[in-house]
Amino acid sequence: DFGRELLYHSNLDPDVITRAAKAPLILFTVAFGAVIFWWTRRHYGNAAALLALFLYAFSPTFLAHGRFVTNDVAAAAGFFVGIIGYLRFLRDPARRNIVLAGLAMGFAFLTKYSTIELVPVAVLLAVTWTLIHEERGNRIRSLVRCLAGTAGIFLIAYLAIYPFYLHHTWNYPPKLQRVDTIASLEGRGVGITPKDIVIWASDK
């Protein structure tokens, strides 16, 4: 109802409103292509970078979603940035790279809730990286160190995203958060266990 009121009953041109809403998402899609080209060129050379950019630019998925006012392209960009930041940490687990990977993960988590899948992906990458790159006698110690760095990365990501949500909860009593959460989940096709977890966390 609000969308219809805004577009057709606010004495403004609906085409102007929709173009203004789409423009930042289109620019974001172009910027994501530039990041793909830059990263691929840096690691694999010009030919691979052009191929990656070609596949991205002519992907029906990105052509379709790059002009919509949704967060699907942003989530893809977040997933990509989160992964390349984490790979940088795996190659060189210096403190600077832990911070950069944490900020990259924070960006990813801000784009869409489904990027939480990066948590198990990161753990799987840490285990795989250790098995491939470490000698058998050093694997357990290296894995523990890698997982500790990974925990630090997600802590930094949490600290990075928290300010963006703080204004939503600043004067929002925990009891009311729980009531609103229960009300919003009623009738939703959410499994009993995820629903219980969300309701339990809502007033914490």
Side-chain angles (χ1 to χ4, degrees), residues 5 33 42 124 172:
E5 287 292 324
R42 183 178 177 188
L124 183 62
Y172 194 1

Side-chain angles (χ1 to χ4, degrees), residues 48-92:
L50 285 171
L51 177 61
L53 184 61
F54 174 83
L55 293 172
Y56 172 78
F58 291 98
S59 163
T61 300
F62 287 107
L63 286 172
H65 289 273
R67 61 193 176 88
F68 289 151
V69 186
T70 63
N71 54 2
D72 295 314
V73 173
F79 214 95
F80 181 77
V81 169
I83 289 292
I84 64 174
Y86 190 70
L87 289 175
R88 181 185 176 120
F89 154 74
L90 290 176
R91 289 192 192 97
D92 179 15

Side-chain angles (χ1 to χ4, degrees), residues 82-83 86 89-90 105 109 116-131 142-144 146-151 153-154:
I83 289 292
Y86 190 70
F89 154 74
L90 290 176
M105 288 290 184
F109 295 149
I116 196 68
E117 293 172 359
L118 279 166
V119 174
V121 168
V123 173
L124 183 62
L125 280 174
V127 173
T128 306
W129 186 274
T130 303
L131 290 174
S142 296
L143 180 60
V144 170
C146 189
L147 291 176
T150 302
I153 287 169
F154 288 123

